[in-house]
Amino acid sequence: QEPSNKRVKPLSRVTSLASLIPPVRATPLKRFSQTLQRSISFRSESRPDLFSPRPWARNVPPANTKRRDSKLWSETFDVCVNHMLTSKEIKRQEAIFELSQGEEDLIEDLKLAKKAYHDPMLKLSIMTEQELNQIFGTLDSLIPLHEDLLRRLQEVRKPDGSTDHVGHILVGWLPCLNSYDSYCSNQVAAKALLDHKKQDHRVQDFLQRCLESPFSRKLDLWNFLDIPRSRLVKYPLLLREILRHTPNDHPDQQHLEEAINIIQGIVAEINIKTGESECQYYKERLIYLEEGQRDSLIDNSRAVCCHGELKNNRGVKLHVFLFEEVLVITRAVTHNDQLCYQLYRQPIPVRELVLEDLQDGEVRLGGSIRGAFSNSERIKNFFRVSFKNGSQSQTHSLQANDSFNKQQWLNCIRQAKEKAACAGKAGGLEAHFLLSPSGRRGPQGEALEQMEQSDCESDCSMDTSELSADCERMEQTNSGESEKQIETNV
């Protein structure tokens, strides 16, 4: 044979490359569904321009992260004093030192947030001064507040590091925390604006550089802005820990109990104001397609029990709000360069809402041909809400992200229904149990008689045979026992 000039690929190399390909264990139906999904999907990830490197993207090796070491009182000061103290007193000193050390860490983080984030972004014009004031709120005013407490705690610390009394300091200082209500109430709007500004590549690039720097300790800007709120709710735990290791005959005992009551009242009040601020923020961002969608239950709401993103059985992403007495299903939209929520259906009163916990696989998916080849993961964590009032009726099968998130929704809706039912009963009792000035029943009393009569006619859960048997037993008892039995049945 004549020699050939064609190049032939070595068979051994082809074989070696083929051996690197992992075996495919998917069933034919699953492979077909994956191929079908790839062929019909119009996802943005398939566009080649998105794979091109961003001009602001950075490939920087990870830097050494600065870590904050925890300190113990017994390790910070002279350990020779330990043999003179009881085990309970050592634990008390550790708890007092933890309170003081936490103030130092908090002050350091608040100053860092201003120095490393606020001031550079303002100087570089990454954000306007108005936007930064909205995001950072009254952060500056909190720094001297905690510096004052730290100074007081350090003044009463003895040379050996031990502290005798802190209760009187806390009782005098804790009322200053009422100024937290403005900072916490602003956090909902601050978080929304920060998330919106992250869409600007300059903001995102700056925050990413800070996150990769050692000073951040792998915490983003919002972690630093949320530190004051988390510190606020930690005070009751810290004070209880000090009180737990304080002897009953110690002078601090009474002061610490008073301080705990003060901080619990402050936290409860700030929670209420923060909830009202959050509720008002979302109510102002609801978009009604028609006037008929407006509901007084939304206008009168003062708190959002639960809200978040859910999907329906067609895969449509919805943002659902559970207010105190109404469930509102919306779609997240951008309006005037701001995230808003457009009502998807009529609001559903919580009192008339029917809730169903659906088992995995019970919901039938629809909306596209993909549903025919869906796997089991897509039909998990569903629950159903429905409502019917005359000619109006709604039914929504909603899917949560996971089983925990689903259980949270179920619990919140059930609690809201219980509160609405209790409020309705209490309102009914207040309205019906009214007497006229002469002591006789007025119109409300007559209405009560009619209501009682209708209840007896319509209540199907009442067993009349048991009632008659009870009456016979009461007749056979003496008069004193009879009166007690009647009271019990009433």
Side-chain angles (χ1 to χ4, degrees):
Q1 297 180 355
E2 296 181 358
S4 175
N5 294 328
K6 295 182 180 180
R7 293 184 180 181
V8 181
K9 293 182 180 180
L11 183 61
S12 59
R13 185 176 179 181
V14 176
T15 306
S16 62
L17 290 176
S19 64
L20 297 178
I21 303 175
V24 180
R25 299 183 179 180
T27 60
L29 180 61
K30 186 173 182 180
R31 288 203 304 270
F32 173 66
S33 66
Q34 293 172 350
T35 306
L36 187 61
Q37 289 182 17
R38 286 195 297 268
S39 63
I40 68 172
S41 67
F42 297 95
R43 291 177 297 180
S44 59
E45 295 89 0
S46 61
R47 293 184 298 179
D49 59 319
L50 293 181
F51 288 99
S52 59
R54 306 290 188 188
W56 60 86
R58 302 171 64 248
N59 294 324
V60 180
N64 293 328
T65 304
K66 178 182 176 181
R67 294 186 178 182
R68 176 177 286 162
D69 298 328
S70 59
K71 298 179 182 179
L72 297 177
W73 174 78
S74 57
E75 297 174 350
T76 306
F77 298 97
D78 189 4
V79 295
C80 296
V81 302
N82 290 355
H83 70 277
M84 297 182 295
L85 301 176
T86 63
S87 175
K88 187 171 185 178
E89 180 60 26
I90 292 176
K91 292 180 179 178
R92 180 173 179 271
Q93 294 299 326
E94 293 286 3
I96 295 174
F97 182 75
E98 183 182 357
L99 173 65
S100 176
Q101 188 63 36
E103 293 300 303
E104 287 188 25
D105 296 341
L106 175 64
I107 294 169
E108 180 184 345
D109 287 336
L110 296 183
K111 290 182 176 180
L112 179 64
K114 186 177 187 306
K115 181 180 179 181
Y117 290 93
H118 179 280
D119 294 348
M121 284 193 289
L122 179 62
K123 186 176 181 179
L124 298 173
S125 299
I126 295 177
M127 288 193 201
T128 65
E129 185 175 2
Q130 182 180 2
E131 291 170 339
L132 290 172
N133 290 339
Q134 176 70 54
I135 292 174
F136 284 81
T138 58
L139 186 73
D140 285 348
S141 65
L142 304 181
I143 297 176
L145 189 70
H146 292 278
E147 287 178 335
D148 179 39
L149 175 59
L150 180 60
R151 178 185 55 81
R152 296 188 192 188
L153 293 175
Q154 290 175 342
E155 287 176 352
V156 297
R157 182 182 294 166
K158 296 193 293 187
D160 62 1
S162 61
T163 304
D164 289 335
H165 309 286
V166 294
H168 65 288
I169 295 176
L170 296 169
V171 169
W173 179 81
L174 284 173
C176 301
L177 292 178
N178 283 311
S179 60
Y180 259 71
D181 58 357
S182 59
Y183 182 81
C184 294
S185 299
N186 178 64
Q187 280 197 300
V188 178
K191 181 69 165 61
L193 178 58
L194 179 60
D195 291 341
H196 176 69
K197 294 299 295 183
K198 285 181 180 179
Q199 300 175 11
D200 184 349
H201 73 271
R202 293 187 67 212
V203 176
Q204 181 62 31
D205 183 51
F206 177 84
L207 296 179
Q208 185 64 31
R209 289 172 183 267
C210 292
L211 187 64
E212 294 169 354
S213 301
F215 70 83
S216 69
R217 308 194 308 275
K218 297 297 183 181
L219 302 176
D220 60 12
L221 173 57
W222 182 250
N223 289 128
F224 286 100
L225 296 178
D226 195 47
I227 284 176
R229 182 202 58 79
S230 60
R231 179 66 178 176
L232 180 66
V233 298
K234 193 176 180 180
Y235 279 120
L237 303 177
L238 293 171
L239 300 190
R240 286 196 193 98
E241 185 66 15
I242 299 175
L243 179 62
R244 190 163 69 93
H245 300 297
T246 300
N248 295 331
D249 57 347
H250 197 284
D252 254 6
Q253 180 81 18
Q254 184 176 357
H255 285 140
L256 287 172
E257 291 177 352
E258 183 181 355
I260 291 174
N261 291 332
I262 292 174
I263 186 60
Q264 285 179 335
I266 292 174
V267 171
E269 184 66 22
I270 291 178
N271 277 339
I272 293 174
K273 292 183 178 179
T274 303
E276 292 176 351
S277 175
E278 179 187 20
C279 182
Q280 185 63 31
Y281 173 84
Y282 286 118
K283 287 196 298 185
E284 291 175 354
R285 280 152 184 79
L286 292 178
I287 298 178
Y288 300 92
L289 296 178
E290 55 186 20
E291 286 299 317
Q293 291 180 331
R294 297 186 179 273
D295 196 316
S296 60
L297 294 177
I298 300 177
D299 298 333
N300 298 333
S301 296
R302 300 181 60 187
V304 181
C305 304
C306 187
H307 75 92
E309 185 180 277
L310 298 171
K311 293 181 181 179
N312 63 10
N313 59 334
R314 292 181 174 270
V316 178
K317 292 182 179 180
L318 305 171
H319 200 98
V320 182
F321 294 91
L322 176 62
F323 293 96
E324 293 170 303
E325 297 185 26
V326 62
L327 183 77
V328 183
I329 301 177
T330 69
R331 276 180 172 176
V333 296
T334 302
H335 181 68
N336 293 334
D337 200 28
Q338 192 176 47
L339 182 63
C340 296
Y341 304 92
Q342 178 180 294
L343 264 70
Y344 182 69
R345 292 289 187 271
Q346 290 291 122
I348 302 177
V350 169
R351 193 178 303 176
E352 302 171 25
L353 180 148
V354 178
L355 176 65
E356 297 178 71
D357 183 3
L358 301 178
Q359 299 298 321
D360 293 344
E362 189 174 342
V363 176
R364 183 177 179 181
L365 302 181
S368 69
I369 196 172
R370 288 191 211 174
F373 306 101
S374 62
N375 54 25
S376 60
E377 295 297 326
R378 292 191 59 202
I379 52 178
K380 286 185 176 181
N381 308 315
F382 271 93
F383 63 93
R384 181 178 293 137
V385 294
S386 55
F387 162 70
K388 186 173 183 179
N389 184 9
S391 59
Q392 297 182 356
S393 64
Q394 297 183 50
T395 300
H396 304 278
S397 297
L398 303 173
Q399 184 183 31
N401 294 331
D402 49 46
S403 58
F404 177 76
N405 185 242
K406 170 187 173 180
Q407 195 59 45
Q408 281 187 315
W409 275 101
L410 295 176
N411 293 340
C412 287
I413 295 176
R414 286 165 182 162
Q415 291 173 5
K417 285 182 63 64
E418 291 175 1
K419 289 181 181 179
C422 292
K425 291 179 181 178
L429 292 175
E430 291 176 359
H432 292 301
F433 284 97
L434 296 175
L435 297 177
S436 62
S438 61
R440 299 179 180 177
R441 299 191 179 204
Q444 292 87 355
E446 295 174 1
L448 175 62
E449 290 180 347
Q450 296 175 359
M451 185 179 69
E452 289 175 344
Q453 184 178 0
S454 63
D455 285 346
C456 293
E457 294 174 354
S458 61
D459 192 355
C460 301
S461 63
M462 187 75 70
D463 191 344
T464 56
S465 62
E466 292 183 0
L467 285 178
S468 60
D470 288 341
C471 293
E472 292 178 0
R473 285 195 298 269
M474 284 192 291
E475 290 176 356
Q476 296 173 1
T477 56
N478 56 45
S479 59
E481 294 174 346
S482 175
E483 292 175 358
K484 293 179 181 179
Q485 183 70 20
I486 291 173
E487 285 183 359
T488 303
N489 282 279
V490 171

